[in-house]
Amino acid sequence: AAQEGDFDPDTRWAVTWFDQFGFEEGDYGHAEQLSKAKNTAVAEMADARNGGIVTAKGGKVKLTRHADLPESWDPDTDPRLTVWEMVHHLIRRMDEGGEGAAAELVAKLGVRAETARELAYRLYAICERKKWADEALAYNALVTAWPEITRLAASSPGNEAPQQTQLFS
């Protein structure tokens, strides 16, 4: 619960929904009630202009899988950036282009990337507890590759860590 304090309302909703339903459909009424408790709204989370972390139609709601997220997503232009999106776009990029592609996104996310790592750990733990092996693989792959991803991100052009050249001038 303390860890959730670092997450935005949409992500807190998504974690709770994921714990209950995974990527399966659930009732819209339940989703909306949960969204009020998390200080968000299903309609806003489903808005495709914001990336749409859920789909809501026919009285049902479900989380969007990483493979179904838009390839054109850019965290710098997303008006409703969530940690949930960051994690799932990182997974999508790793699936498509390996650690190097994920590192490009981590470099773009900057300090926000660390919160995404925390969420990946949390989602892996949920999957392990629920025995959702297929889902656990994606989160575990991201967490396991994290040291290399961050190393690649730090060494990418324009992201070199500043170094002190002398103590006194």
Side-chain angles (χ1 to χ4, degrees):
Q3 184 183 46
E4 279 193 15
D6 293 341
F7 302 151
D8 54 274
D10 291 359
T11 297
R12 288 195 301 272
W13 179 91
V15 168
T16 303
W17 188 263
F18 182 75
D19 191 29
Q20 293 177 18
F21 299 98
F23 287 102
E24 300 301 317
E25 286 185 335
D27 183 60
Y28 185 93
H30 180 70
E32 189 64 22
Q33 183 180 21
L34 178 60
S35 74
K36 297 304 177 215
K38 300 292 184 182
N39 198 28
T40 187
V42 173
E44 292 173 8
M45 290 185 288
D47 187 347
R49 293 172 298 172
N50 298 330
I53 68 168
V54 300
T55 56
K57 59 184 170 188
K60 299 292 182 183
V61 174
K62 73 179 203 172
L63 289 163
T64 305
R65 293 184 175 276
H66 67 271
D68 298 328
L69 293 169
E71 289 183 31
S72 61
W73 179 79
D74 182 348
D76 293 336
T77 60
D78 188 333
R80 193 176 175 94
L81 182 63
T82 67
V83 180
W84 183 268
E85 285 175 294
M86 289 187 257
V87 166
H88 291 89
H89 279 284
L90 283 164
I91 290 170
R92 185 181 60 74
R93 297 236 179 139
M94 265 192 54
D95 283 353
E96 294 172 359
E99 294 168 347
E104 290 173 12
L105 181 53
V106 165
K108 197 168 208 177
L109 292 171
V111 296
R112 301 174 291 193
E114 191 58 31
T115 308
R117 182 190 62 81
E118 291 172 16
L119 178 59
Y121 272 118
R122 175 81 183 271
L123 296 174
Y124 173 75
I126 290 170
C127 291
E128 190 174 60
R129 179 173 42 84
K130 299 270 191 175
K131 303 200 182 322
W132 295 339
D134 291 343
E135 299 302 334
L137 285 173
Y139 301 116
N140 188 48
L142 182 60
V143 168
T144 302
W146 196 260
E148 180 62 10
I149 291 169
T150 55
R151 185 193 69 74
L152 291 170
S155 66
S156 66
N159 274 348
E160 292 82 14
Q163 296 187 5
Q164 182 175 342
T165 54
Q166 60 188 40
L167 188 57
F168 300 103
S169 43

